[in-house]
Amino acid sequence: MASKVLLGLLATGLALAANTCDVVQDTTSIQMNKRFSIDYTNEQQEYWSAACTNQLKPSCILFPKSPSEVQAVVSILRDNNETFAVKSGGHNPNNYFASVDGGPLISTKHLNEVIFDKASETVRVGPGNRWEDVAKKLDGTGYSAVGGRIGNVGVGGYLLGGGLSFMSTEYGWAANSVVAYELVLANATMITVTAESHPDIHKALQGSGNAFGIVTAYTLKVYQQPAEVWGGHYTFSATTENNKKLLAAVRDFTEYYPDEKAGIILTAETTVGGLLDIWILFVYYNGPEPPAGIFSNFTDVGPLLKSVKKQSYADLLTGNNWAVLRGSVYTIGTEMTPLPSKEHGAEIMESYLDSWRNVSSGVLPVTGLIASVAFQPMPKRLAAKSQSKGGDMLDLDDGIDRIIFEYDYSYWIPSDQPKVDQAMQDTYNGLAGRVKEFQAQDKLPKDAYLPIFMNDGYFRQDYFGRLKPENAALARRVRDELDPQGLWATRTGGFKM
């Protein structure tokens, strides 16, 4: 009997020793930190959503410093059944997409190279960077990379989700400028993916998230840029009259897009009791000063505040970090609409705003809640630019203009999650419902292709189900080729096929 107990204890000890954290610690030199250590605590704070920090606790955090160390971690993961996550900047607020509870978290923090090559007009960028890091390294070179509009956004998840940039109307989605991916596969081997060497994989990586492996480096096409650009933000009061004017302005800006060097995000923000009820317009121009009149439809409304100026691109991105709200549980969702015509624009755009306000009003009493909606123009020329560069998984056609909506709810108390979860679903489903109503009334094109923009997607949304069937099939084919055992499909988060 004693021998059986001893064997049982030995077997249990071996099983426990087989977990990824212990194996990494015992057999490799990879940095590994467990709970309550300084590096563990600091890395856990680098999430935009407090739920990823306070509710989800990895068994350890691994900090590989090279692609070979990433390969070693994947090799260890293959020999157990632990759930895990891979983290770049921690921008994605969906639980388990870049966070994990009880399994190892792989931080790409030390995969942070930024190597500029003027001869090829490219930059090699590690996923551990944030876009402000990339911009600072390129500052003074006369070049910039198509990247995030807020400096604190991480490189990795942003590029794998497509990446909407202030420069997108000039150069397409950020993913359209990825020349090569250095990719660690589920079998722990590594391949370099280009459009020439692996065309299907290259396209699939442009908007399929973390479905195929861990990217340890991106080679990006860079573009000439003046030493200083122009940008910042304007703040407007959310009066009935201002609402009408700003909605008309963003509709017109999207259709008549005055200059491909210009970029905007128009957001509405509100809290309980009207303590905050404003519009914020983020603006950008790829030059030291925009030509007269480009943003006048907005500025003529009469901003309360403005912070626009000539500055380096790196300073612009870093300056936009004020918009990152720390310490709250943060959720994000999205939908898309065809751009309404001038004839029906006021009715439709105001209906969209009303839909958001009606749902938001029901959850504003939630402690600490801030509701916001962003109107993000998707002009035909952006889709055309993307197609000219070989396309991507989203594969927008240039037959119509569109607007992408980003919906955000942030709040303080995790127990309010069920209320906010329902509100988020009601918000994007409410918008989708109104789109269908206007299509049925022949006020919007009925055959419009309206996929989900992954970077803004809520975990409940069917990203792959909204793609064109041939692109969803391509993603499944690449997944089955690269990960036949389903390591990424079954043991980590992200949108699933």
Side-chain angles (χ1 to χ4, degrees):
M1 179 69 177
S3 62
K4 288 184 178 180
V5 172
L6 183 60
L7 288 171
L9 289 172
L10 180 60
T12 301
L14 289 172
L16 289 173
N19 74 65
T20 303
C21 302
D22 289 343
V23 175
V24 168
Q25 184 175 38
D26 293 343
T27 66
T28 78
S29 60
I30 299 168
Q31 181 183 343
M32 188 278 299
N33 293 92
K34 291 190 175 180
R35 197 171 177 182
F36 305 117
S37 70
I38 293 175
D39 286 341
Y40 180 106
T41 301
N42 288 342
E43 187 66 20
Q44 278 292 92
Q45 296 306 310
E46 293 296 330
Y47 284 105
W48 282 29
S49 174
C52 298
T53 297
N54 299 331
Q55 297 174 250
L56 305 179
K57 304 296 183 183
S59 53
C60 69
I61 303 180
L62 307 175
F63 296 90
K65 295 181 173 65
S66 66
S68 62
E69 290 193 344
V70 174
Q71 290 177 272
V73 172
V74 173
S75 181
I76 293 167
L77 284 168
R78 290 175 58 227
D79 292 333
N80 61 43
N81 62 357
E82 289 185 299
T83 56
F84 64 94
V86 182
K87 176 173 174 280
S88 174
H91 170 223
N92 194 303
N94 290 307
N95 285 351
Y96 305 103
F97 278 43
S99 52
V100 65
D101 191 41
L105 174 67
I106 304 167
S107 168
T108 62
K109 179 179 181 178
H110 296 311
L111 299 172
N112 60 353
E113 62 185 345
V114 181
I115 303 172
F116 170 61
D117 181 45
K118 185 173 182 178
S120 63
E121 295 188 311
T122 62
V123 63
R124 179 181 167 91
V125 178
N129 289 288
R130 300 176 190 275
W131 285 108
E132 60 193 353
D133 302 323
V134 179
K136 287 174 184 176
K137 288 290 182 70
L138 292 175
D139 197 10
T141 66
Y143 288 84
S144 65
V146 180
R149 298 164 295 184
I150 295 176
N152 191 254
V153 170
V155 164
Y158 170 93
L159 285 173
L160 291 174
L164 181 56
S165 171
F166 282 133
M167 302 181 193
S168 284
T169 311
E170 273 192 281
Y171 305 119
W173 302 100
N176 298 143
S177 290
V178 181
V179 177
Y181 301 83
E182 189 177 79
L183 180 66
V184 174
L185 304 176
N187 63 6
T189 64
M190 186 170 64
I191 61 173
T192 298
V193 178
T194 69
E196 294 73 31
S197 66
H198 300 86
D200 284 356
I201 301 174
H202 187 267
K203 181 174 181 178
L205 283 168
Q206 297 181 73
S208 289
N210 63 347
F212 310 122
I214 300 175
V215 178
T216 58
Y218 301 84
T219 300
L220 309 176
K221 175 70 176 173
V222 293
Y223 304 92
Q224 292 187 19
Q225 186 177 58
E228 292 182 308
V229 299
W230 180 92
H233 68 276
Y234 295 93
T235 303
F236 305 85
S237 59
T239 64
T240 300
E241 187 62 24
N242 282 359
N243 295 350
K244 293 177 182 293
K245 291 179 179 178
L246 290 169
L247 290 172
V250 74
R251 196 220 72 85
D252 290 350
F253 189 89
T254 305
E255 180 176 3
Y256 304 119
Y257 218 90
D259 192 324
E260 67 178 11
K261 294 180 180 295
I264 67 163
I265 320 169
L266 178 65
T267 72
E269 319 275 340
T270 188
T271 61
V272 66
L275 296 177
L276 177 74
D277 198 7
I278 58 174
W279 291 90
I280 300 174
L281 175 72
F282 294 84
V283 292
Y284 163 83
Y285 188 79
N286 194 3
E289 187 175 358
I294 286 182
F295 302 107
S296 60
N297 280 5
F298 297 99
T299 57
D300 286 350
V301 175
L304 298 170
L305 301 168
K306 66 177 181 178
S307 69
V308 294
K309 61 183 178 180
K310 180 172 62 175
Q311 57 192 308
S312 72
Y313 185 59
D315 286 344
L316 173 68
L317 297 189
T318 301
N320 284 342
N321 283 341
W322 67 266
V324 181
L325 186 64
R326 297 289 189 180
S328 293
V329 180
Y330 171 62
T331 60
I332 184 171
T334 188
E335 255 304 336
M336 191 183 295
T337 180
L339 186 72
S341 65
K342 190 82 168 178
E343 177 187 2
H344 301 296
E347 175 191 4
I348 293 175
M349 296 293 285
E350 289 171 29
S351 173
Y352 291 163
L353 183 66
D354 288 345
S355 177
W356 167 72
R357 284 191 174 277
N358 290 341
V359 177
S360 298
S361 65
V363 286
L364 286 179
V366 166
T367 304
L369 190 131
I370 299 176
S372 70
V373 55
F375 296 76
Q376 303 177 108
M378 292 289 111
K380 297 174 184 177
R381 65 172 71 184
L382 191 159
K385 192 75 67 172
S386 171
Q387 295 292 350
S388 72
K389 293 190 171 187
D392 48 75
M393 294 302 291
L394 214 58
D395 201 16
L396 294 180
D397 62 89
D398 61 357
I400 59 170
D401 298 302
R402 299 170 174 85
I403 292 177
I404 291 179
F405 294 85
E406 177 192 323
Y407 297 109
D408 303 286
Y409 290 108
S410 61
Y411 57 102
W412 291 348
I413 301 175
S415 60
D416 285 323
Q417 187 271 338
K419 297 177 187 175
V420 179
D421 173 51
Q422 188 60 56
M424 179 59 80
Q425 294 179 69
D426 292 345
T427 299
Y428 60 72
N429 286 331
L431 187 282
R434 296 208 177 193
V435 169
K436 291 177 181 177
E437 289 174 9
F438 289 122
Q439 287 175 321
Q441 298 168 18
D442 291 323
K443 294 178 179 178
L444 288 174
K446 292 183 177 180
D447 58 349
Y449 168 56
L450 303 173
I452 294 292
F453 174 42
M454 179 180 279
N455 290 139
D456 290 346
Y458 194 51
F459 72 97
R460 296 189 185 279
Q461 295 186 283
D462 184 11
Y463 172 77
F464 287 100
R466 294 273 292 271
L467 294 178
K468 293 177 181 177
E470 61 270 25
N471 288 330
L474 171 66
R476 288 191 294 271
R477 186 167 68 250
V478 171
R479 175 202 62 188
D480 294 344
E481 173 191 345
L482 300 183
D483 186 20
Q485 303 304 315
L487 179 68
W488 313 112
T490 61
R491 290 174 52 191
T492 192
F495 291 104
K496 302 305 178 186
M497 302 173 203

